Amino acid sequence: MAATGSGPGAKRIVLWFRNDLRLHDNYIVHEAVTRIAKKEYGEVLPLFVYDPRFFAASPWGNTKMGPHRAKFQVECVEDLRAQLRAIGSDLLVAVGRPEEVI
């Protein structure tokens, strides 16, 4: 979780979803909701980044994410987006190295 912006109401929480793609028991989601309720921040930007390194071959020739796991990952991201939309939010999905995207 990172904060950006300046001035009251302009601060934004960036929720970077990486491995835990659930809402109901996710600590960073709970923390963001708490801080928004306290008016410490003005908005939340949920984000997921597909890192191409997960699909690249390792020095031993195998990948971190095979086709079945990749399909499951896509389904989980789609489900997270649907859950966020159901509560009036959305999920920004990007492709690239997170350290460059964020």
Side-chain angles (χ1 to χ4, degrees):
M1 183 168 69
T4 62
S6 61
K11 293 170 85 176
R12 176 182 304 136
I13 297 174
V14 177
L15 287 182
W16 176 21
F17 288 92
R18 297 177 61 196
N19 298 319
D20 188 356
L21 302 180
R22 302 173 305 208
L23 289 183
H24 69 279
D25 63 347
N26 191 318
Y27 173 77
I28 66 167
V29 172
H30 174 73
E31 186 67 22
V33 169
T34 300
R35 290 180 180 220
I36 290 289
K38 290 180 179 179
K39 308 247 187 265
E40 294 175 8
Y41 294 88
E43 63 183 9
V44 177
L45 176 64
L47 170 70
F48 180 83
V49 181
Y50 283 104
D51 190 335
R53 292 173 287 199
F54 287 146
F55 303 96
S58 73
W60 300 277
N62 56 345
T63 60
K64 254 186 147 174
M65 190 172 299
H68 297 292
R69 184 171 177 204
K71 181 179 183 289
F72 179 70
Q73 176 99 41
V74 169
E75 291 169 353
C76 289
V77 170
E78 288 172 353
D79 184 60
L80 176 61
R81 175 178 267 166
Q83 289 180 54
L84 287 165
R85 285 180 175 169
I87 60 170
S89 187
D90 206 344
L91 180 66
L92 176 61
V93 179
V95 177
R97 292 176 172 245
E99 61 272 19
E100 295 169 0
V101 171
I102 297 172

